[in-house]
Amino acid sequence: LKDAQIKSIVRCNGNIYVASDSGAYIIEADEEYRNFKTSCIMTGNISCMKTDGLNLLLGMSNGLYSYSSVEKTVKVTISYPREVATTNSIYTEENNIWVGTHRYVIRKSRHGEAAEYIPFTSVKCMHMDEHGHMLMATDLGLYRYDTVSEDSEIVHKGIVWDFFEDKDGNIWMASDNGLLMHRQRSIFRP
């Protein structure tokens, strides 16, 4: 793995998983972290990875895959059309899996219904707020998407790479304009 471009690393069910441009790998270590065993679980360019607590979700250019560490199997969770492009981010909640790509946000029910494609470009990360709105960092700005009415509003214009919401409801953004904080319709530069 030392020559691979590492895109993500997560811990799931006691194991360490690494996503890279050449595949997804499981790293097993002894208790002292002196002996390591690395095994490939899937080949291909893995653009992002997340755990939903039970399974490992692997984003690629042609879909979202799920790896079961119990069954040691990989299965297709969502297959994308060619124009969707690379997966950038994954968000999981009780009833849905959300996938941010270069052209869409895809919402897939865990209950088997068809995937819904919502037009947002280059979604870098997502988070559901306490009001049930999906916040999405994109190349065009930070958006708030109402999952019930399906209306959206822009919170901040300009590239947003990452963000988080603090306990007071302030949204902190990593942007091309530095660190920004959104509070009640105002943008502050701390």
Side-chain angles (χ1 to χ4, degrees), residues 21-181:
D21 57 348
S22 62
Y25 300 86
I26 180 173
I27 300 173
E28 299 169 285
D30 61 17
E31 290 182 17
E32 292 89 32
Y33 290 96
R34 293 178 191 213
N35 298 304
F36 297 93
K37 177 184 168 194
T38 303
S39 305
C40 182
I41 59 174
M42 183 175 187
T43 60
N45 187 0
I46 312 294
S47 54
C48 67
M49 179 173 59
K50 182 167 179 113
T51 177
D52 66 1
L54 299 172
N55 299 304
L56 192 66
L57 300 170
L58 305 160
M60 297 181 72
S61 63
N62 62 345
L64 183 70
Y65 295 81
S66 178
Y67 172 75
S68 168
S69 61
V70 174
E71 299 170 3
K72 307 274 190 250
T73 57
V74 176
K75 66 179 182 177
V76 176
T77 302
I78 306 171
S79 183
Y80 308 154
R82 190 180 234 1
E83 69 271 7
V84 170
T86 304
T87 304
N88 296 330
S89 58
I90 303 166
Y91 181 82
T92 60
E93 57 168 321
E94 185 178 340
N95 295 316
N96 296 297
I97 298 172
W98 296 76
V99 180
T101 71
H102 288 304
R103 294 192 177 197
Y104 299 97
V105 170
I106 303 166
R107 178 171 45 185
K108 171 77 170 138
S109 169
R110 292 183 184 261
H111 306 294
E113 291 97 17
E116 175 186 2
Y117 290 74
I118 305 163
F120 280 97
T121 59
S122 201
V123 176
K124 298 176 182 340
C125 68
M126 297 177 279
H127 171 74
M128 185 81 67
D129 72 11
E130 64 183 31
H131 306 292
H133 300 122
M134 181 58 76
L135 296 167
M136 296 177 270
T138 75
D139 281 348
L140 300 176
L142 183 71
Y143 286 86
R144 181 180 291 121
Y145 176 76
D146 187 318
T147 58
V148 176
S149 70
E150 299 185 353
D151 291 332
S152 64
E153 67 174 326
I154 192 158
V155 174
H156 171 74
K157 288 184 181 179
I159 295 174
V160 176
W161 295 100
D162 200 0
F163 69 94
F164 78 92
E165 189 173 14
D166 68 20
K167 64 179 177 53
D168 298 320
N170 300 312
I171 302 170
W172 295 80
M173 296 172 278
S175 77
D176 276 4
N177 294 320
L179 179 64
L180 303 173
M181 182 183 68

